[in-house]
């Protein structure tokens, strides 16, 4: 079995954070959640997470800007951008 992943879920909706976090924890992974980009930036440091799942549309800093800042700080971080919208526009 592979080693558990360290995952960060960033979404302004609590139900999304709780659902994703719960599913990944059930699979044995370590999960932290953040409700804003600002909170995510405080949690992240190089090597702390293997994967970050980011909501694209959040108040304040959006997921695209957060992705740029996270990967600049930790180029080895895998980032997945999520959206509940039918169109990214």
């Amino acid at each position: 079995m592979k080693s558990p992943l360290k995952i960060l879920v960033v979404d302004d909706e609590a139900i999304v954070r709780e659902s994703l976090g719960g599913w990944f924890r059930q699979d044995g992974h370590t999960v932290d959640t953040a409700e804003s980009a600002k909170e995510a930036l405080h949690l992240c440091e190089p090597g702390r997470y293997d994967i970050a799942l980011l909501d694209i549309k959040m108040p304040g800093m959006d997921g695209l800007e957060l992705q740029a800042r996270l990967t600049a700080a930790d180029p080895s971080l895998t980032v997945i951008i999520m959206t509940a919208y039918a169109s990214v526009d």
Side-chain angles (χ1 to χ4, degrees):
M1 185 169 136
K2 290 185 178 182
S3 299
L5 295 171
K6 295 172 284 183
I7 301 170
L8 176 63
V9 177
V10 186
D11 199 298
D12 58 323
E13 294 191 35
I15 189 70
V16 174
R17 293 189 310 272
E18 292 165 8
S19 296
L20 288 173
W23 293 330
F24 289 125
R25 285 183 193 103
Q26 283 179 348
D27 286 341
H29 303 293
T30 301
V31 181
D32 289 331
T33 62
E35 66 179 310
S36 68
K38 183 178 179 181
E39 184 179 353
L41 288 171
H42 286 292
L43 290 172
C44 279
E45 55 191 49
R48 181 169 184 179
Y49 298 105
D50 300 304
I51 299 173
L53 292 102
L54 315 178
D55 184 15
I56 197 169
K57 195 158 178 118
M58 296 183 288
M61 185 187 313
D62 68 16
L64 294 175
E65 183 178 344
L66 177 57
Q67 180 268 332
R69 292 180 67 177
L70 291 177
T71 55
D74 185 357
S76 68
L77 179 66
T78 297
V79 176
I80 299 170
I81 302 210
M82 313 175 293
T83 184
Y85 295 89
S87 171
V88 177
D89 295 339

